[in-house]
Amino acid sequence: MFRKIEHIGIAVKDLDSANRMFAELASAELLKVEEVESEGVKTSFFKLGETKIEFLEATNTDSPIAKFIEKNGEGMHHIAFDVEDIHAEINRLKDLGFQLINETPKEGADNKIIAFLHPKSTNRVLIELCQDKK
Ligand code: ZN
């Protein structure tokens, strides 16, 4: 079961300028900036109530974010749902026939383990499952 929208991810070319823009737009404070080296991304988070907004900037040209921006330009990249037990959710969704990009969860930003679903099986919306590291 998905418990809530944990965050919405937005792909940007320039993280610093996105951070300045969003701080002004939402009158919110930047929560943190974090690099996930294995994914080739630098991320930032803003917390708004129960939900966060994540901005993602590529740190190299092979990064999935670099490829996304090349193809689609900047913009909405994924929706992340909070789950209690990511392994159980992966199995549940696999049994239902959803395609997963990550059948084994991996380390994400913000102290989470994460897995992505293939957008092919979800109306072209990239979905991230995330679970707090215990
Ligand atoms: Zn995310």
Side-chain angles (χ1 to χ4, degrees), residues 38-56:
S38 56
E39 293 291 297
V41 294
K42 206 161 109 184
T43 68
S44 65
F45 287 90
F46 287 85
K47 195 168 183 341
L48 304 169
E50 285 260 292
T51 300
K52 292 175 204 132
I53 300 291
E54 175 185 31
F55 289 100
L56 305 110

Side-chain angles (χ1 to χ4, degrees), residues 7-9 45 54 56 78 80 116 128:
H7 63 267
I8 292 174
F45 287 90
E54 175 185 31
L56 305 110
H78 64 272
F116 283 98
E128 174 186 343

Side-chain angles (χ1 to χ4, degrees), residues 5 26 32 41 49 53 70 74-76 89 91 102 105 134:
I5 295 177
K32 63 170 126 180
V41 294
I53 300 291
E70 203 181 289
E74 295 182 296
M76 264 273 308
E89 280 301 290
N91 289 332
N102 315 108
K134 281 163 194 157

Side-chain angles (χ1 to χ4, degrees), residues 11 26 30 33 37 46-48 53 59 79 85 87 89 99 123 132:
L30 177 63
V33 174
E37 225 183 295
F46 287 85
K47 195 168 183 341
L48 304 169
I53 300 291
T59 53
I79 301 179
D85 179 346
H87 297 276
E89 280 301 290
Q99 273 188 56
N123 300 84
D132 282 322

